[in-house]
Amino acid sequence: MFFLQYYRIPHEVIEGQHNNKSPRSKVPFIELNGKMYTDSGLIIERLNEAYYCQVDSGLSDQEKLIAHAFIRMIEEHLQWGFVYGRFGHDRGFQSFSSACFPQPLRTIVSLVVRTATRKALWGQGTSRYHINDLLHKFRADLRTIDQFLGEGPFFFGKKSPHLVDMSLFGVMSMVMDVSHFNIVGQELHQFKHLLAFKERMDAIDQRINKTSTSYQSQ
């Protein structure tokens, strides 16, 4: 969503459950020029081609390689930790479901969505670890990103965000922009550079939303 707004790509958000329309029964997915695309990385590639966003034009070839590795760590490893904190961890799921769903929908979500997600977490490997080992693994990811970011303001010390920044922001927002408890997400509060990064990205996001709202009201 941030990517679409940042590059002012015309779009319509369809609320509700539409996983049955997704090519892989996963979110996010988009429909672009009559074709369906899923996986955030592939989606952005297609949008880049269609709208010439040039999202990483400010990075050197070496920086693009490093950014690619960070995106893989964020989306293929760290994000699973936050998913575990929401659906795999008992307290996290109770907090999430109580905050987001009334009864009897809460029971349905527990039986259907949580069961499917826990199966995916087991297949992916995240939920096979003891919670202490799990937190140790994801804390190492967060520490690595925090130290690499440093004072920023963004990855590689750039003055504006690139794709890797947007990827990290999206995953952090998943646990920091909600009121429910997430045992893995709680680890974020140990890392000052990550917290400062989130504040900077929030400021950009708010500015974009304000601009978009003003434009639509004209």
Side-chain angles (χ1 to χ4, degrees):
M1 191 68 175
F2 180 91
F3 180 89
L4 294 170
Q5 293 175 328
Y6 188 80
Y7 286 100
R8 299 186 179 183
I9 297 173
H11 62 279
E12 179 184 3
V13 178
I14 307 298
E15 301 290 348
Q17 294 294 323
H18 300 279
N19 289 22
N20 59 317
K21 296 183 179 180
S22 171
R24 296 184 179 89
S25 298
K26 294 175 65 177
V27 292
F29 70 95
I30 65 168
E31 181 178 350
L32 178 65
N33 298 327
K35 293 184 178 181
M36 308 295 289
Y37 300 99
T38 187
D39 182 279
S40 57
L42 294 176
I43 288 171
I44 288 172
E45 283 185 22
R46 297 297 177 267
L47 291 172
N48 261 325
E49 293 170 1
Y51 292 96
Y52 307 101
C53 301
Q54 301 298 310
V55 60
D56 283 340
S57 60
L59 301 182
S60 69
D61 290 343
Q62 184 72 15
E63 288 169 339
K64 289 177 182 177
L65 295 175
I66 296 170
H68 178 82
F70 269 111
I71 290 171
R72 285 292 177 267
M73 180 172 72
I74 292 164
E75 296 185 354
E76 304 296 339
H77 190 253
L78 180 60
Q79 181 170 238
W80 280 102
F82 296 152
V83 171
Y84 173 84
R86 178 175 293 182
F87 290 100
H89 187 256
D90 288 339
R91 180 186 169 191
F93 180 74
Q94 290 171 3
S95 176
F96 164 68
S97 60
S98 296
C100 299
F101 303 103
Q103 286 289 18
L105 186 58
R106 196 179 309 160
T107 301
I108 297 172
V109 170
S110 179
L111 290 174
V112 179
V113 180
R114 190 187 190 199
T115 298
T117 306
R118 291 178 77 178
K119 183 177 179 180
L121 284 163
W122 181 262
Q124 188 267 346
T126 296
S127 62
R128 298 173 187 243
Y129 290 88
H130 185 276
I131 186 60
N132 291 337
D133 295 329
L134 199 63
L135 292 176
H136 177 76
K137 283 165 58 69
F138 291 116
R139 196 178 296 125
D141 283 358
L142 295 171
R143 183 180 300 110
T144 299
I145 298 170
D146 184 78
Q147 291 180 0
F148 190 86
L149 274 171
E151 298 297 332
F154 302 104
F155 273 83
F156 310 108
K158 303 298 183 181
K159 294 182 179 180
S160 59
H162 292 79
L163 183 56
V164 64
D165 301 283
M166 298 179 193
S167 175
L168 177 59
F169 177 58
V171 171
M172 291 180 70
S173 297
M174 175 181 167
V175 292
M176 295 188 72
D177 291 353
V178 293
S179 59
H180 51 266
F181 174 80
N182 188 303
I183 193 169
V184 180
Q186 291 291 105
E187 298 293 320
L188 281 163
H189 296 280
Q190 301 181 35
F191 301 100
K192 66 177 184 178
H193 298 313
L194 278 169
L195 295 177
F197 166 84
K198 177 67 165 54
E199 289 183 2
R200 288 190 287 271
M201 291 295 287
D202 278 335
I204 294 175
D205 192 34
Q206 291 168 10
R207 188 166 64 247
I208 291 171
N209 287 328
K210 184 176 180 180
T211 302
S212 176
T213 302
S214 299
Y215 176 78
Q216 292 174 5
S217 64
Q218 291 177 0

